[in-house]
Amino acid sequence: MKKFLAMLLTLCMVLAFAGCAQKAPEATEAPAQEATTETPAEETPAATEEDVKSEGVMTYAEYVAAELESQVTVETYVQAKQSWWEDKATVYSQDKDGAYFLYNMACSQEDYDKLVPGTKIKVTGYKSEWSGEIEIIDATFEIEGGSFIAVPFDATELLGKDELIDHQNQLVSFKGLTVEKVAYKNDQPGDDIYVTFGYNGASYDFCVESYLTGPDTEVYSTVGALEEGDVVDVEGFLYWYEGVNTHITAVTVAQ
């Protein structure tokens, strides 16, 4: 009888072990099934954050469509500062859709120091035009949270085309331009530098704005040393003065 009970107990243990062995794959497969249903990081809302405008703020398209001399409110990001004088600042700014030139915007010296590249600001002023340059004047602003630094848009193939003006005031680049003429404003080193470049048989006037990139900057000294026939790549803000008049911020001379 004891021998029979021992055999019965052994048989039960074998059956129990076999049951556990069958369930083991289920425990290891479950995590793998969960992993296949996870959303990739690049598709999550956090990874596709948009530059959403606040209530009452225009999109860039709405700003472009606004009448001259009308009041406008935009949210934009500082890309460079040109000058500050008597509590007025001139600033190049841009968002993901377009750019805004803020001329003589009301600004204390303390706030001007805060306007580092990338700073997001809400600007209210009046859309205006001067010799073809569209700008915002008589403006006030407030600093907001957020940051954006523009990547230069390659506008080389738009030179001489009507579409170029659609990128007015943006940070742009031009490649393979040939220097035709370099001259200081009023023949005075230290003042603006006027540069004429040639491309595809046409000439274009650019400028080193001394308030933006003065004599103590690398770009100023590099442009001042250019000679006729030099081939260069240029970056700058697509300012407009009776036609394209890019304010140069960087120059690379071809070797």
Side-chain angles (χ1 to χ4, degrees):
M1 185 66 179
K2 290 182 179 180
K3 184 176 181 181
F4 173 77
L5 291 175
M7 293 177 60
L8 182 60
L9 180 59
T10 300
L11 178 61
C12 291
M13 291 177 64
V14 170
L15 291 175
F17 177 79
C20 291
Q22 290 176 349
K23 291 180 180 180
E26 295 180 7
T28 57
E29 289 173 5
Q33 292 175 344
E34 291 175 3
T36 60
T37 60
E38 289 180 354
T39 303
E42 62 270 18
E43 295 180 8
T44 62
T48 56
E49 183 179 353
E50 296 181 359
D51 185 15
V52 179
K53 303 298 182 183
S54 302
E55 183 177 355
V57 173
M58 293 175 161
T59 63
Y60 182 72
E62 290 170 335
Y63 168 76
V64 170
E67 297 289 335
L68 290 174
E69 312 309 327
S70 65
Q71 188 178 67
V72 295
T73 298
V74 301
E75 283 177 329
T76 181
Y77 300 82
V78 175
Q79 301 302 306
K81 299 185 291 187
Q82 177 169 299
S83 62
W84 178 90
W85 181 253
E86 295 183 343
D87 288 337
K88 292 181 180 179
T90 296
V91 174
Y92 300 82
S93 70
Q94 189 169 336
D95 63 20
K96 65 182 181 64
D97 296 317
Y100 313 84
F101 185 64
L102 313 175
Y103 181 72
N104 277 353
M105 177 175 64
C107 180
S108 68
Q109 177 69 70
E110 181 182 4
D111 283 342
Y112 187 71
D113 293 340
K114 297 176 183 177
L115 298 181
V116 297
T119 303
K120 184 177 182 179
I121 54 176
K122 180 178 179 180
V123 179
T124 298
Y126 292 86
K127 183 179 177 182
S128 184
E129 178 183 3
W130 185 72
S131 296
E133 168 65 19
I134 303 300
E135 55 195 16
I136 299 178
I137 64 172
D138 298 331
T140 59
F141 75 96
E142 56 186 89
I143 296 176
E144 298 184 323
S147 181
F148 170 77
I149 296 293
V151 175
F153 169 76
D154 187 347
T156 309
E157 297 308 316
L158 294 183
L159 280 170
K161 298 181 180 179
D162 293 341
E163 295 90 339
L164 182 61
I165 200 170
D166 295 338
H167 299 275
Q168 185 175 145
N169 296 318
Q170 288 184 23
L171 183 63
V172 296
S173 65
F174 299 96
K175 296 180 171 59
L177 307 184
T178 301
V179 178
E180 294 184 345
K181 182 180 179 181
V182 179
Y184 292 99
K185 181 179 180 180
N186 300 320
D187 294 323
Q188 293 293 324
D191 210 329
D192 298 347
I193 306 178
Y194 300 143
V195 189
T196 302
F197 292 114
Y199 186 76
N200 280 349
S203 298
Y204 303 94
D205 293 325
F206 286 31
C207 175
V208 175
E209 170 59 62
S210 59
Y211 287 137
L212 174 65
T213 48
D216 59 339
T217 63
E218 181 179 355
V219 64
Y220 192 95
S221 58
T222 301
V223 172
L226 290 177
E227 297 180 354
E228 182 180 349
D230 286 342
V231 178
V232 300
D233 295 340
V234 176
E235 289 183 7
F237 294 103
L238 195 64
Y239 191 81
W240 215 263
Y241 177 75
E242 298 179 358
V244 57
N245 188 233
T246 304
H247 286 178
I248 302 170
T249 59
V251 171
T252 303
V253 182
Q255 300 299 320

